[in-house]
Coordinates of all heavy atoms in Angstrom, one line a residue:
M27 N -208.4 215.8 -80.1 CA -208.8 214.5 -79.5 C -208.3 214.4 -78.1 O -209.1 213.9 -77.3 CB -208.1 213.5 -80.4 CG -208.5 212.1 -79.9 SD -207.9 210.9 -81.0 CE -207.5 209.6 -79.8
F28 N -207.1 214.8 -77.8 CA -206.6 214.6 -76.4 C -207.4 215.6 -75.5 O -207.6 215.3 -74.3 CB -205.1 214.9 -76.3 CG -204.3 213.8 -76.9 CD1 -203.6 213.9 -78.0 CD2 -204.4 212.5 -76.4 CE1 -202.8 212.9 -78.6 CE2 -203.7 211.4 -76.9 CZ -202.9 211.6 -78.0
D29 N -207.7 216.7 -76.0 CA -208.5 217.7 -75.2 C -209.8 217.1 -74.8 O -210.3 217.2 -73.7 CB -208.7 219.1 -76.0 CG -209.3 220.1 -75.1 OD1 -208.8 220.3 -74.0 OD2 -210.3 220.7 -75.5
G30 N -210.5 216.4 -75.8 CA -211.8 215.8 -75.5 C -211.6 214.6 -74.5 O -212.4 214.4 -73.5
L31 N -210.5 213.8 -74.6 CA -210.2 212.9 -73.5 C -210.0 213.5 -72.2 O -210.5 212.9 -71.2 CB -208.9 212.1 -74.0 CG -208.4 210.9 -73.1 CD1 -209.5 209.8 -73.0 CD2 -207.2 210.5 -73.6
R32 N -209.2 214.6 -72.2 CA -209.0 215.3 -70.8 C -210.3 215.8 -70.2 O -210.6 215.6 -69.0 CB -208.0 216.4 -71.1 CG -207.8 217.2 -69.7 CD -206.9 218.5 -70.0 NE -207.5 219.3 -71.0 CZ -208.6 220.2 -70.8 NH1 -209.1 220.3 -69.6 NH2 -209.0 220.9 -71.7
K33 N -211.2 216.3 -71.1 CA -212.4 216.9 -70.6 C -213.3 215.7 -70.1 O -214.0 215.9 -69.1 CB -213.2 217.6 -71.7 CG -212.5 219.0 -72.0 CD -213.3 219.7 -73.0 CE -212.5 221.0 -73.4 NZ -213.1 221.7 -74.5
F34 N -213.4 214.7 -70.9 CA -214.1 213.5 -70.4 C -213.6 213.0 -69.0 O -214.4 212.7 -68.1 CB -214.0 212.3 -71.4 CG -214.6 211.0 -70.9 CD1 -215.9 210.8 -70.9 CD2 -213.8 210.0 -70.5 CE1 -216.5 209.6 -70.5 CE2 -214.3 208.9 -70.0 CZ -215.7 208.6 -70.0
W35 N -212.3 212.9 -68.9 CA -211.7 212.3 -67.7 C -212.0 213.3 -66.5 O -212.4 212.8 -65.4 CB -210.2 212.2 -67.8 CG -209.5 211.9 -66.6 CD1 -208.7 212.7 -65.8 CD2 -209.7 210.6 -65.8 NE1 -208.4 211.9 -64.6 CE2 -209.0 210.7 -64.7 CE3 -210.4 209.5 -66.1 CZ2 -208.8 209.7 -63.7 CZ3 -210.2 208.4 -65.1 CH2 -209.6 208.6 -63.9
Q36 N -211.9 214.6 -66.7 CA -212.1 215.5 -65.6 C -213.6 215.6 -65.2 O -213.9 215.7 -64.1 CB -211.7 216.9 -66.0 CG -210.2 217.0 -66.0 CD -209.7 218.4 -66.4 OE1 -210.4 219.2 -67.0 NE2 -208.4 218.7 -66.0
S37 N -214.5 215.4 -66.1 CA -215.9 215.4 -65.9 C -216.3 214.1 -65.1 O -217.3 214.1 -64.3 CB -216.7 215.6 -67.1 OG -216.7 214.4 -67.9
N38 N -215.6 213.0 -65.2 CA -216.0 211.8 -64.5 C -215.1 211.5 -63.3 O -215.2 210.4 -62.7 CB -215.8 210.6 -65.5 CG -216.9 210.7 -66.6 OD1 -218.1 210.8 -66.2 ND2 -216.5 210.6 -67.9
R39 N -214.1 212.4 -63.0 CA -213.2 212.2 -61.9 C -213.9 212.8 -60.6 O -214.4 213.9 -60.6 CB -211.9 212.9 -62.3 CG -210.8 212.6 -61.2 CD -209.4 213.0 -61.7 NE -209.4 214.4 -61.8 CZ -208.4 215.2 -62.1 NH1 -207.3 214.5 -62.4 NH2 -208.4 216.4 -62.1
P40 N -213.9 212.0 -59.5 CA -214.5 212.4 -58.3 C -213.6 213.7 -57.8 O -212.4 213.7 -57.8 CB -214.3 211.3 -57.3 CG -213.4 210.4 -57.9 CD -213.3 210.6 -59.4
A41 N -214.4 214.7 -57.2 CA -213.6 215.8 -56.7 C -212.9 215.4 -55.4 O -213.3 214.6 -54.7 CB -214.7 216.9 -56.4
R42 N -211.7 216.1 -55.3 CA -210.9 215.8 -54.1 C -211.2 216.8 -53.0 O -211.2 218.0 -53.4 CB -209.4 215.8 -54.5 CG -209.0 214.6 -55.1 CD -207.5 214.4 -55.2 NE -206.9 215.6 -55.4 CZ -205.6 215.8 -55.9 NH1 -205.0 214.6 -56.2 NH2 -205.0 216.9 -56.0
D43 N -211.2 216.4 -51.9 CA -211.4 217.4 -50.7 C -209.9 217.8 -50.3 O -209.2 217.0 -49.8 CB -212.1 216.8 -49.6 CG -212.3 217.8 -48.4 OD1 -211.8 219.0 -48.5 OD2 -212.9 217.4 -47.4
E44 N -209.5 219.1 -50.6 CA -208.2 219.5 -50.3 C -207.8 219.5 -48.8 O -206.7 219.5 -48.5 CB -207.9 220.9 -51.0 CG -207.9 221.0 -52.4 CD -207.0 220.0 -53.1 OE1 -205.9 219.8 -52.6 OE2 -207.3 219.4 -54.2
N45 N -208.9 219.5 -48.0 CA -208.7 219.5 -46.5 C -208.5 218.1 -46.1 O -208.1 217.9 -44.9 CB -209.9 220.2 -45.8 CG -210.0 221.6 -46.1 OD1 -209.0 222.3 -46.3 ND2 -211.2 222.1 -46.3
E46 N -208.9 217.0 -46.8 CA -208.6 215.8 -46.4 C -207.1 215.4 -46.4 O -206.5 215.6 -47.5 CB -209.4 214.8 -47.4 CG -209.4 213.4 -47.0 CD -210.1 212.5 -48.0 OE1 -210.6 213.0 -49.0 OE2 -210.2 211.3 -47.9
P47 N -206.6 214.8 -45.4 CA -205.1 214.4 -45.3 C -204.9 213.6 -46.6 O -205.6 212.6 -46.9 CB -204.9 213.8 -44.0 CG -206.0 214.1 -43.2 CD -207.2 214.5 -44.1
A48 N -203.7 213.6 -47.1 CA -203.3 212.9 -48.2 C -203.3 211.4 -48.0 O -203.7 210.6 -48.9 CB -201.8 213.3 -48.7
R49 N -203.0 211.0 -46.8 CA -202.9 209.5 -46.5 C -204.3 208.9 -46.6 O -204.7 207.8 -46.7 CB -202.3 209.3 -45.2 CG -203.1 209.8 -43.9 CD -202.3 209.5 -42.6 NE -203.2 209.9 -41.5 CZ -203.3 211.2 -41.1 NH1 -202.6 212.2 -41.8 NH2 -204.0 211.5 -40.0
D50 N -205.4 209.8 -46.3 CA -206.8 209.3 -46.2 C -207.5 209.4 -47.7 O -208.5 208.8 -47.9 CB -207.7 210.2 -45.3 CG -207.2 210.0 -43.9 OD1 -206.6 208.9 -43.6 OD2 -207.4 210.9 -43.1
R51 N -206.8 210.1 -48.6 CA -207.4 210.1 -50.0 C -207.3 208.7 -50.6 O -206.4 208.1 -50.5 CB -206.7 211.2 -50.8 CG -206.9 212.6 -50.4 CD -206.1 213.5 -51.4 NE -206.2 214.8 -50.8 CZ -205.2 215.7 -51.0 NH1 -204.2 215.4 -51.7 NH2 -205.3 216.9 -50.5
G52 N -208.4 208.4 -51.3 CA -208.3 207.1 -51.9 C -208.9 206.0 -51.2 O -209.2 204.9 -51.7
K53 N -209.1 206.1 -49.8 CA -209.6 205.0 -49.0 C -211.0 204.6 -49.5 O -211.4 203.5 -49.4 CB -209.4 205.3 -47.6 CG -208.1 205.2 -47.0 CD -208.1 205.4 -45.5 CE -206.8 205.1 -44.9 NZ -206.8 205.3 -43.5
H54 N -211.7 205.7 -49.9 CA -213.2 205.5 -50.2 C -213.4 205.4 -51.8 O -214.4 205.3 -52.2 CB -213.9 206.6 -49.7 CG -213.7 206.9 -48.2 ND1 -214.2 206.1 -47.2 CD2 -213.1 207.9 -47.5 CE1 -213.8 206.5 -46.1 NE2 -213.1 207.7 -46.2
Q55 N -212.3 205.3 -52.4 CA -212.2 205.2 -53.8 C -211.7 203.9 -54.4 O -211.0 203.3 -53.7 CB -211.6 206.4 -54.5 CG -212.0 207.7 -54.3 CD -211.1 208.8 -54.8 OE1 -210.0 208.4 -55.4 NE2 -211.6 210.1 -54.7
R56 N -212.1 203.4 -55.5 CA -211.6 202.3 -56.0 C -210.2 202.5 -56.6 O -209.9 203.6 -56.8 CB -212.5 201.6 -57.1 CG -212.6 202.6 -58.4 CD -213.5 202.1 -59.4 NE -213.7 203.0 -60.4 CZ -212.8 203.3 -61.3 NH1 -211.6 202.8 -61.3 NH2 -213.0 204.2 -62.3
P57 N -209.4 201.5 -56.6 CA -208.0 201.6 -57.2 C -208.1 202.0 -58.6 O -208.9 201.7 -59.3 CB -207.4 200.3 -56.9 CG -208.5 199.3 -56.6 CD -209.8 200.1 -56.3
H58 N -207.1 202.8 -59.0 CA -206.9 203.2 -60.4 C -206.4 202.1 -61.2 O -205.6 201.2 -60.7 CB -205.9 204.3 -60.5 CG -206.4 205.6 -59.7 ND1 -207.3 206.5 -60.2 CD2 -206.0 206.1 -58.6 CE1 -207.5 207.5 -59.4 NE2 -206.8 207.2 -58.3
N59 N -206.9 202.0 -62.5 CA -206.3 201.0 -63.3 C -205.3 201.6 -64.3 O -205.1 202.8 -64.3 CB -207.4 200.2 -64.0 CG -208.1 201.0 -65.1 OD1 -207.5 201.8 -65.8 ND2 -209.4 200.8 -65.2
I60 N -204.6 200.7 -65.1 CA -203.5 201.2 -65.9 C -204.0 202.2 -67.1 O -203.3 203.1 -67.5 CB -202.7 200.0 -66.7 CG1 -203.6 199.1 -67.5 CG2 -202.0 199.3 -65.5 CD1 -202.8 198.1 -68.2
F61 N -205.2 201.9 -67.5 CA -205.8 202.8 -68.6 C -206.1 204.2 -68.0 O -205.9 205.3 -68.7 CB -207.0 202.2 -69.2 CG -206.5 200.9 -69.9 CD1 -207.0 199.7 -69.4 CD2 -205.5 200.9 -70.9 CE1 -206.5 198.4 -70.1 CE2 -205.1 199.7 -71.5 CZ -205.6 198.5 -71.0
E62 N -206.6 204.3 -66.8 CA -206.9 205.6 -66.1 C -205.7 206.3 -65.9 O -205.6 207.6 -66.3 CB -207.6 205.4 -64.8 CG -209.0 205.0 -64.9 CD -209.7 204.7 -63.6 OE1 -209.0 204.1 -62.7 OE2 -210.9 205.1 -63.4
A63 N -204.7 205.7 -65.4 CA -203.3 206.2 -65.2 C -202.7 206.8 -66.5 O -202.2 207.8 -66.6 CB -202.3 205.2 -64.6
A64 N -202.8 205.9 -67.5 CA -202.3 206.4 -68.9 C -203.0 207.6 -69.4 O -202.3 208.5 -69.9 CB -202.4 205.2 -69.8
A65 N -204.4 207.6 -69.3 CA -205.1 208.7 -69.8 C -204.8 210.0 -69.0 O -204.5 211.1 -69.7 CB -206.6 208.5 -69.6
V66 N -204.6 210.0 -67.7 CA -204.3 211.1 -67.0 C -202.8 211.6 -67.3 O -202.6 212.8 -67.5 CB -204.5 210.9 -65.5 CG1 -204.0 212.0 -64.6 CG2 -205.9 210.7 -65.2
Y67 N -202.0 210.6 -67.3 CA -200.6 210.9 -67.5 C -200.4 211.6 -68.9 O -199.7 212.6 -69.1 CB -199.8 209.6 -67.5 CG -198.3 209.8 -67.6 CD1 -197.5 210.3 -66.5 CD2 -197.7 209.7 -68.9 CE1 -196.1 210.5 -66.6 CE2 -196.2 209.9 -69.0 CZ -195.6 210.3 -67.9 OH -194.2 210.5 -68.0
V68 N -201.0 211.0 -69.9 CA -200.8 211.5 -71.3 C -201.4 212.9 -71.4 O -200.9 213.9 -72.0 CB -201.4 210.6 -72.4 CG1 -201.4 211.3 -73.7 CG2 -200.5 209.4 -72.4
A69 N -202.6 213.2 -70.8 CA -203.3 214.4 -70.8 C -202.4 215.5 -70.2 O -202.3 216.6 -70.5 CB -204.7 214.3 -70.3
A70 N -201.9 215.0 -69.0 CA -201.0 215.9 -68.2 C -199.7 216.3 -69.0 O -199.3 217.4 -68.9 CB -200.7 215.4 -66.9
C71 N -199.2 215.3 -69.7 CA -198.0 215.7 -70.5 C -198.4 216.7 -71.6 O -197.7 217.6 -71.9 CB -197.5 214.4 -71.3 SG -196.7 213.3 -70.2
A72 N -199.5 216.5 -72.2 CA -199.9 217.4 -73.3 C -200.2 218.8 -72.7 O -200.0 219.8 -73.4 CB -201.3 217.0 -73.9
E73 N -200.6 218.9 -71.4 CA -200.8 220.2 -70.8 C -199.6 220.8 -70.0 O -199.7 221.8 -69.3 CB -202.0 220.1 -69.9 CG -203.3 219.9 -70.6 CD -204.5 219.6 -69.7 OE1 -204.2 219.2 -68.4 OE2 -205.6 219.8 -70.1
D74 N -198.5 220.0 -69.9 CA -197.3 220.3 -69.2 C -197.6 220.4 -67.8 O -197.2 221.4 -67.2 CB -196.6 221.5 -69.9 CG -195.2 221.6 -69.4 OD1 -194.5 220.6 -69.2 OD2 -194.6 222.8 -69.4
D75 N -198.4 219.5 -67.3 CA -198.8 219.7 -65.8 C -198.0 218.4 -65.0 O -198.4 217.4 -65.0 CB -200.3 219.4 -65.7 CG -200.8 219.4 -64.3 OD1 -200.0 219.4 -63.3 OD2 -202.0 219.5 -64.1
Q76 N -196.8 218.8 -64.5 CA -196.0 218.0 -63.9 C -196.5 217.3 -62.6 O -196.4 216.2 -62.4 CB -194.6 218.7 -63.4 CG -193.5 217.7 -62.9 CD -193.1 216.6 -64.1 OE1 -192.8 217.0 -65.1 NE2 -193.1 215.4 -63.6
A77 N -197.3 218.1 -61.9 CA -197.9 217.5 -60.6 C -198.9 216.4 -61.1 O -198.9 215.4 -60.4 CB -198.7 218.6 -59.9
E78 N -199.7 216.6 -62.0 CA -200.6 215.6 -62.4 C -199.9 214.4 -63.0 O -200.3 213.2 -62.7 CB -201.6 216.2 -63.5 CG -202.8 215.4 -63.8 CD -203.9 215.4 -62.7 OE1 -203.8 216.2 -61.8 OE2 -204.9 214.6 -62.7
M79 N -198.8 214.6 -63.8 CA -198.1 213.5 -64.3 C -197.4 212.7 -63.1 O -197.5 211.4 -63.2 CB -196.9 214.0 -65.2 CG -197.4 214.6 -66.4 SD -196.1 215.6 -67.4 CE -194.7 214.5 -67.3
D80 N -196.9 213.4 -62.1 CA -196.4 212.7 -60.9 C -197.5 211.8 -60.3 O -197.2 210.7 -59.8 CB -195.8 213.7 -60.0 CG -194.5 214.3 -60.6 OD1 -194.0 213.8 -61.5 OD2 -194.1 215.3 -59.9
E81 N -198.6 212.5 -60.1 CA -199.7 211.7 -59.4 C -200.1 210.4 -60.2 O -200.1 209.3 -59.5 CB -200.9 212.6 -59.2 CG -202.0 211.9 -58.5 CD -203.3 212.8 -58.2 OE1 -203.1 214.1 -58.4 OE2 -204.4 212.3 -57.9
A82 N -200.4 210.7 -61.5 CA -200.8 209.5 -62.3 C -199.8 208.4 -62.4 O -200.0 207.3 -62.4 CB -201.1 209.9 -63.8
S83 N -198.4 208.8 -62.4 CA -197.3 207.8 -62.4 C -197.2 207.0 -61.1 O -196.7 205.9 -61.1 CB -196.0 208.4 -62.8 OG -195.6 209.3 -61.8
G84 N -197.8 207.6 -60.0 CA -197.8 206.8 -58.8 C -199.0 205.7 -58.6 O -199.0 205.0 -57.6
W85 N -199.9 205.9 -59.5 CA -201.0 205.0 -59.4 C -200.8 203.6 -59.8 O -201.5 202.6 -59.2 CB -202.2 205.4 -60.2 CG -202.8 206.8 -59.8 CD1 -202.6 207.4 -58.6 CD2 -203.7 207.7 -60.6 NE1 -203.3 208.6 -58.6 CE2 -204.0 208.8 -59.7 CE3 -204.2 207.5 -61.8 CZ2 -204.7 209.8 -60.2 CZ3 -205.0 208.6 -62.3 CH2 -205.3 209.7 -61.5
V86 N -199.9 203.4 -60.6 CA -199.6 202.0 -61.1 C -198.1 201.8 -61.2 O -197.3 202.8 -61.2 CB -200.2 201.7 -62.5 CG1 -201.8 201.7 -62.3 CG2 -199.8 202.7 -63.6
S87 N -197.5 200.6 -61.5 CA -196.1 200.4 -61.7 C -195.7 201.1 -62.9 O -196.5 201.4 -63.9 CB -195.8 198.9 -61.8 OG -196.3 198.4 -63.0
P88 N -194.4 201.4 -63.0 CA -193.9 202.0 -64.3 C -194.1 201.1 -65.6 O -194.4 201.6 -66.6 CB -192.4 202.1 -64.0 CG -192.2 202.2 -62.6 CD -193.3 201.4 -62.0
E89 N -194.0 199.8 -65.4 CA -194.3 198.9 -66.5 C -195.7 199.0 -66.9 O -196.0 199.0 -68.1 CB -193.9 197.5 -66.2 CG -192.4 197.2 -65.8 CD -192.1 197.7 -64.4 OE1 -192.9 198.0 -63.6 OE2 -190.9 197.7 -64.2
A90 N -196.6 199.0 -66.0 CA -198.1 199.1 -66.3 C -198.4 200.4 -67.0 O -199.1 200.5 -67.9 CB -198.9 198.9 -65.1
L91 N -197.8 201.5 -66.4 CA -198.0 202.8 -67.0 C -197.5 202.8 -68.5 O -198.2 203.3 -69.4 CB -197.4 204.0 -66.3 CG -197.6 205.4 -66.8 CD1 -199.1 205.7 -66.8 CD2 -196.8 206.4 -65.9
S92 N -196.4 202.2 -68.8 CA -195.8 202.2 -70.1 C -196.8 201.4 -71.0 O -197.0 201.9 -72.2 CB -194.4 201.5 -70.1 OG -193.9 201.4 -71.3
F93 N -197.2 200.3 -70.6 CA -198.2 199.5 -71.3 C -199.5 200.4 -71.7 O -199.9 200.4 -72.8 CB -198.6 198.3 -70.7 CG -199.7 197.4 -71.3 CD1 -199.4 196.7 -72.4 CD2 -201.0 197.6 -71.0 CE1 -200.3 195.9 -73.1 CE2 -202.0 196.9 -71.6 CZ -201.6 196.0 -72.7
G94 N -199.9 201.1 -70.6 CA -201.2 201.9 -70.8 C -201.1 202.9 -71.9 O -201.8 203.3 -72.6
V95 N -199.9 203.7 -71.7 CA -199.5 204.8 -72.7 C -199.4 204.2 -74.0 O -199.9 204.8 -75.0 CB -198.2 205.5 -72.2 CG1 -197.7 206.5 -73.3 CG2 -198.5 206.3 -70.8
N96 N -198.8 203.1 -74.2 CA -198.6 202.4 -75.5 C -200.0 202.1 -76.1 O -200.3 202.4 -77.3 CB -197.7 201.2 -75.4 CG -197.5 200.5 -76.7 OD1 -197.0 201.2 -77.7 ND2 -198.0 199.4 -76.9
E97 N -200.8 201.5 -75.3 CA -202.2 201.2 -75.7 C -203.0 202.4 -76.1 O -203.7 202.5 -77.2 CB -203.0 200.4 -74.7 CG -204.3 199.9 -75.1 CD -204.3 198.8 -76.2 OE1 -203.2 198.2 -76.3 OE2 -205.3 198.7 -76.8
L98 N -202.9 203.4 -75.4 CA -203.5 204.8 -75.6 C -203.0 205.3 -77.0 O -203.8 205.8 -77.8 CB -203.4 205.7 -74.6 CG -203.9 207.1 -74.7 CD1 -205.4 207.1 -75.0 CD2 -203.6 208.1 -73.5
A99 N -201.7 205.3 -77.1 CA -201.1 205.8 -78.5 C -201.7 205.0 -79.6 O -202.0 205.5 -80.7 CB -199.6 205.7 -78.4
C100 N -201.7 203.7 -79.5 CA -202.1 202.8 -80.6 C -203.6 203.2 -80.9 O -204.0 203.4 -82.2 CB -202.1 201.4 -80.3 SG -200.4 200.8 -80.2
R101 N -204.4 203.3 -79.9 CA -205.8 203.6 -80.2 C -206.0 205.0 -80.8 O -206.9 205.3 -81.6 CB -206.6 203.5 -78.8 CG -206.8 202.1 -78.4 CD -207.5 202.0 -77.1 NE -207.5 200.6 -76.5 CZ -208.3 200.2 -75.5 NH1 -209.2 201.1 -75.0 NH2 -208.2 199.0 -75.1
A102 N -205.2 206.0 -80.3 CA -205.4 207.4 -80.8 C -204.9 207.3 -82.2 O -205.6 208.0 -83.0 CB -204.5 208.2 -80.0
V103 N -203.9 206.7 -82.7 CA -203.5 206.7 -84.0 C -204.5 206.0 -84.8 O -204.8 206.5 -86.0 CB -202.0 206.0 -84.1 CG1 -201.8 205.8 -85.6 CG2 -201.0 206.9 -83.6
I104 N -205.0 204.9 -84.4 CA -206.1 204.2 -85.2 C -207.3 205.3 -85.4 O -207.9 205.3 -86.5 CB -206.6 203.0 -84.5 CG1 -205.4 201.9 -84.7 CG2 -207.7 202.3 -85.1 CD1 -205.5 200.7 -83.8
A105 N -207.7 205.8 -84.3 CA -208.9 206.8 -84.4 C -208.6 208.0 -85.4 O -209.4 208.3 -86.2 CB -209.2 207.3 -83.0
L106 N -207.4 208.6 -85.3 CA -207.1 209.6 -86.2 C -207.0 209.1 -87.6 O -207.4 209.7 -88.6 CB -205.8 210.3 -85.8 CG -205.8 211.3 -84.6 CD1 -204.4 211.7 -84.2 CD2 -206.7 212.4 -84.9
A107 N -206.5 207.9 -87.8 CA -206.3 207.3 -89.1 C -207.7 207.2 -89.8 O -207.9 207.5 -91.0 CB -205.6 206.1 -89.2
R108 N -208.6 206.7 -88.9 CA -210.0 206.5 -89.5 C -210.7 207.9 -89.8 O -211.4 208.1 -90.8 CB -210.9 205.8 -88.4 CG -210.5 204.3 -88.3 CD -211.3 203.6 -87.4 NE -210.9 202.2 -87.3 CZ -211.1 201.4 -86.2 NH1 -211.8 201.9 -85.1 NH2 -210.7 200.2 -86.2
E109 N -210.5 208.8 -88.9 CA -211.0 210.2 -89.1 C -210.5 210.8 -90.4 O -211.2 211.6 -91.3 CB -210.6 211.2 -88.0 CG -211.6 211.1 -86.8 CD -211.2 212.2 -85.7 OE1 -210.5 213.1 -86.1 OE2 -211.6 211.9 -84.7
R110 N -209.2 210.7 -90.7 CA -208.5 211.3 -91.8 C -208.5 210.4 -93.1 O -208.0 210.9 -94.1 CB -207.0 211.6 -91.4 CG -206.8 212.5 -90.3 CD -205.4 212.7 -90.1 NE -205.1 213.6 -88.9 CZ -204.0 214.0 -88.4 NH1 -202.9 213.4 -89.0 NH2 -203.8 214.8 -87.5
D111 N -209.0 209.3 -92.9 CA -209.0 208.3 -94.1 C -207.6 208.0 -94.6 O -207.4 208.2 -95.8 CB -210.0 208.6 -95.2 CG -210.3 207.5 -96.1 OD1 -210.2 206.4 -95.6 OD2 -210.7 207.9 -97.3
E112 N -206.6 207.9 -93.7 CA -205.3 207.6 -94.0 C -204.7 206.4 -93.3 O -205.5 205.8 -92.4 CB -204.3 208.8 -93.4 CG -204.6 210.1 -94.1 CD -203.8 211.2 -93.6 OE1 -202.8 211.0 -92.7 OE2 -204.1 212.4 -93.9
S113 N -203.6 205.9 -93.6 CA -203.1 204.8 -92.9 C -202.6 205.1 -91.4 O -202.1 206.2 -91.4 CB -202.0 204.1 -93.7 OG -200.8 204.9 -93.7
P114 N -202.6 204.2 -90.5 CA -202.0 204.5 -89.3 C -200.6 204.9 -89.3 O -200.0 205.8 -88.6 CB -202.2 203.2 -88.5 CG -203.4 202.5 -89.1 CD -203.3 202.9 -90.6
R115 N -199.8 204.3 -90.2 CA -198.4 204.6 -90.5 C -198.2 206.0 -90.9 O -197.4 206.8 -90.3 CB -197.7 203.7 -91.5 CG -196.3 204.1 -91.7 CD -195.7 203.2 -92.8 NE -195.8 201.8 -92.3 CZ -194.9 200.9 -92.5 NH1 -193.7 201.2 -93.1 NH2 -195.1 199.7 -92.0
D116 N -199.0 206.6 -91.8 CA -198.9 208.0 -92.2 C -199.3 208.9 -91.1 O -198.7 210.0 -90.9 CB -199.9 208.2 -93.4 CG -199.2 207.5 -94.8 OD1 -198.1 207.1 -94.8 OD2 -200.1 207.4 -95.6
V117 N -200.4 208.6 -90.3 CA -200.8 209.4 -89.3 C -199.7 209.4 -88.2 O -199.3 210.6 -87.7 CB -202.1 208.9 -88.7 CG1 -202.5 209.7 -87.3 CG2 -203.2 209.1 -89.7
A118 N -199.2 208.3 -87.8 CA -198.1 208.3 -86.8 C -196.9 209.2 -87.2 O -196.3 209.9 -86.5 CB -197.6 206.9 -86.5
R119 N -196.5 209.0 -88.5 CA -195.4 209.8 -89.0 C -195.7 211.3 -89.0 O -194.8 212.1 -88.6 CB -194.9 209.3 -90.4 CG -194.4 207.8 -90.3 CD -194.0 207.4 -91.7 NE -192.7 208.2 -92.1 CZ -191.5 207.9 -91.8 NH1 -191.1 206.9 -91.0 NH2 -190.5 208.6 -92.3
S120 N -196.9 211.6 -89.4 CA -197.2 213.0 -89.4 C -197.2 213.7 -88.0 O -196.8 214.8 -87.8 CB -198.7 213.1 -90.1 OG -199.2 214.4 -89.9
L121 N -197.8 213.0 -87.0 CA -197.8 213.4 -85.6 C -196.5 213.6 -85.1 O -196.2 214.5 -84.2 CB -198.6 212.3 -84.8 CG -200.1 212.3 -85.0 CD1 -200.6 211.1 -84.1 CD2 -200.7 213.6 -84.6
L122 N -195.5 212.9 -85.6 CA -194.1 213.0 -85.1 C -193.3 214.0 -86.0 O -192.1 214.2 -85.7 CB -193.4 211.7 -85.1 CG -193.9 210.7 -84.0 CD1 -193.3 209.3 -84.2 CD2 -193.7 211.2 -82.6
G123 N -194.0 214.6 -87.0 CA -193.2 215.5 -87.9 C -192.3 214.9 -88.9 O -191.3 215.4 -89.3
L124 N -192.5 213.5 -89.1 CA -191.7 212.8 -90.1 C -192.3 212.9 -91.5 O -193.5 213.0 -91.6 CB -191.5 211.3 -89.6 CG -190.9 211.2 -88.2 CD1 -191.0 209.7 -87.8 CD2 -189.4 211.6 -88.2
P125 N -191.4 212.8 -92.5 CA -191.9 212.9 -93.9 C -192.7 211.5 -94.1 O -192.5 210.5 -93.5 CB -190.6 212.9 -94.8 CG -189.5 212.5 -93.8 CD -190.0 212.7 -92.5
A126 N -193.6 211.5 -95.1 CA -194.4 210.4 -95.4 C -193.4 209.3 -96.0 O -192.4 209.6 -96.6 CB -195.5 210.7 -96.5
A127 N -193.7 208.1 -95.7 CA -192.9 206.9 -96.1 C -193.1 206.6 -97.4 O -194.1 206.8 -98.0 CB -193.2 205.8 -95.1

């Protein structure tokens, strides 16, 4: 599921010109929102990509990023629960390696 999210994000992300100075990047792009930041941050965590995590965490405040990550986690657990025909509680515990309640 997260791999699909990462592929979707990468296919819809504008390419960066590596020759463009860092201070000029983003002037022609719209600002990032908390859900974009959360999606990139979580996908980067899953891929152990520290540079991408650092970039995404700079797009929004730490509080906003935390909210976005929480919202993404809730939606992911709900989607997996529907796919597996299980309760969200059982799916969340399973993802964390906890025994069934």
Side-chain angles (χ1 to χ4, degrees):
M27 182 175 145
F28 289 116
D29 189 51
L31 180 63
R32 180 186 55 78
K33 287 177 183 175
F34 171 79
W35 174 252
Q36 287 181 338
S37 68
N38 290 308
R39 188 168 66 177
R42 288 195 319 204
D43 182 1
E44 294 301 324
N45 296 323
E46 183 181 4
R49 67 181 184 284
D50 293 336
R51 288 184 193 147
K53 284 188 176 181
H54 306 290
Q55 299 174 357
R56 63 179 174 73
H58 298 282
N59 70 39
I60 60 175
F61 300 114
E62 288 175 319
V66 172
Y67 183 83
V68 169
C71 287
E73 296 174 336
D74 198 27
D75 183 347
Q76 186 64 47
E78 193 78 5
M79 289 167 51
D80 292 342
E81 182 177 346
S83 65
W85 293 346
V86 295
S87 72
E89 296 82 10
L91 182 61
S92 177
F93 175 82
V95 168
N96 183 62
E97 185 66 22
L98 177 58
C100 290
R101 291 179 187 197
V103 167
I104 290 169
L106 282 173
R108 287 179 181 159
E109 276 183 19
R110 296 178 181 182
D111 196 27
E112 297 177 10
S113 74
R115 177 181 301 219
D116 290 343
V117 170
R119 292 183 67 84
S120 171
L121 289 172
L122 293 171
L124 300 172

